[in-house]
Amino acid sequence: MIPLRLSEAHNSTLAYAAEELAYWLRQRFSEAEIPFQFDLRVSENHPPFCWSIRTADDTITLSGHNAACVLHAVYTLLEQIGYVFEIDGAHWRSDASLDALRDWSLDVQPAVNWRGIRQHLNFPMDISSYPLAEAKAYIRSLARLRLNHITFHSYPDQWYEVPLPDGKVRYAGQYFYGQRHDIPDHPIRSVLRNQRTFCIPEHEAEIDDEPRNSRNAITWLHALIAEAKRVGLRVQFSFELRERIMEESLATVESILTSYPE
């Protein structure tokens, strides 16, 4: 095993940092070829958002202000030995070598503290039409670019339910700004995962069952938020509020907080 020490064994983001370091090292080197042991350490002595890498003989210490910063130190180290992380995956430079870690140390203070994107979970070409596994992979790719923030934006009736005064419910799962995109009778069907209508593929069979479709949408985003938190992203949820009565607006906010306590 690659020798790894963690300063906080139960920190899920720090554990993920160790998992990522071991995984990417093993893609190119056998364990016998790796002459270092790695110490992953959260240290509030670092300024916020900062991280550092220190090499002393055969020990490399990766430390940062919080676990997300330690994860960013991991990707900085991997880039030093030859990895290039892009949104479409990881690539490997031809001059890559573990020798690049010898006598190497680095302190990083990012030019921008909060680095991320705002995802409008609304249109057929964004991740709201991805299977959950692929949406999670996209989130992990953002973290490898050392982003640390994501906003998920919802329009009404897409990713949260709203209880109505008459006891009924406005259901979630109304993808793509409430417009249904059925697939035309066209040869394009042969290369699509959806068969009848564009949506998250694993939810298509229940898309006409409003309560189930609603729960499926909320479960999907709940899992995606959990993955974003695990890989060190700060999560915000934004939404378009259309209610004109304050009580109804507050009910919408309460519903969102109940569905997504993270």
Side-chain angles (χ1 to χ4, degrees):
M1 293 179 61
I2 298 172
L4 292 163
R5 293 196 299 264
L6 307 182
S7 64
E8 299 176 11
H10 300 294
N11 185 308
S12 60
T13 301
L14 197 63
Y16 178 70
E19 177 186 317
E20 281 283 88
L21 178 59
Y23 173 81
W24 291 110
L25 287 175
R26 290 192 185 107
Q27 298 308 298
R28 291 293 170 177
F29 308 102
S30 69
E31 293 184 1
E33 293 177 299
I34 301 172
F36 304 105
Q37 59 181 359
F38 301 92
D39 189 359
L40 279 60
R41 184 170 299 279
V42 173
S43 173
E44 293 186 356
N45 292 330
H46 286 74
F49 307 100
C50 296
W51 63 89
S52 66
I53 302 168
R54 294 283 181 272
T55 302
D57 299 323
D58 63 350
T59 299
I60 299 179
T61 301
L62 301 98
S63 57
H65 179 77
N66 57 24
C69 293
V70 178
L71 178 61
H72 301 154
V74 165
Y75 296 131
T76 302
L77 179 144
L78 291 169
E79 287 188 346
Q80 175 69 10
I81 64 173
Y83 275 104
V84 179
F85 293 104
E86 302 284 0
I87 195 63
D88 65 341
H91 308 276
W92 186 248
R93 292 201 319 265
S94 59
D95 61 345
S97 171
L98 285 172
D99 291 338
L101 300 180
R102 294 289 183 190
D103 302 317
W104 176 67
S105 296
L106 183 68
D107 295 298
V108 177
Q109 180 173 355
V112 178
N113 289 339
W114 291 112
R115 308 172 301 279
I117 65 168
R118 174 185 171 103
Q119 268 278 353
H120 286 235
L121 300 176
N122 181 48
F123 302 107
M125 72 289 291
D126 73 13
I127 63 172
S128 63
S129 58
Y130 285 23
L132 180 59
E134 292 181 17
K136 285 183 175 182
Y138 171 83
I139 293 295
R140 292 191 293 271
S141 291
L142 297 181
R144 290 170 188 144
L145 298 176
R146 279 158 289 189
L147 302 187
N148 60 0
H149 175 91
I150 189 166
T151 297
F152 295 115
H153 182 75
S154 176
Y155 294 99
D157 306 328
Q158 290 183 330
W159 302 100
Y160 56 87
E161 296 179 348
V162 179
L164 300 175
D166 60 3
K168 295 181 180 179
V169 176
R170 272 179 34 206
Y171 288 113
Q174 306 300 318
Y175 301 114
F176 313 138
Y177 214 15
Q179 299 177 26
R180 180 163 174 151
H181 293 265
D182 287 324
I183 300 169
D185 185 11
H186 188 276
I188 194 174
R189 283 177 179 268
S190 65
V191 294
L192 297 178
R193 287 179 288 198
N194 293 109
Q195 298 302 306
R196 295 187 300 118
T197 187
F198 287 106
C199 64
I200 295 171
E202 60 260 47
H203 298 171
E204 186 176 10
E206 297 180 317
I207 196 168
D208 293 319
D209 184 330
E210 274 198 302
R212 284 183 176 274
N213 183 55
S214 181
R215 288 194 296 271
N216 288 340
I218 292 171
T219 298
W220 182 92
L221 185 52
H222 182 86
L224 201 60
I225 289 173
E227 184 72 352
K229 301 281 280 188
R230 184 174 79 101
V231 304
L233 300 179
R234 180 181 69 168
V235 176
Q236 285 187 324
F237 187 104
S238 64
F239 62 101
E240 182 176 306
L241 191 60
R242 294 180 183 171
E243 290 82 0
R244 298 179 180 275
I245 300 172
M246 179 59 71
E247 289 76 10
E248 293 180 4
S249 297
L250 292 174
T252 297
V253 173
E254 191 63 36
S255 176
I256 291 170
L257 292 174
T258 299
S259 296
Y260 305 109
E262 302 90 343

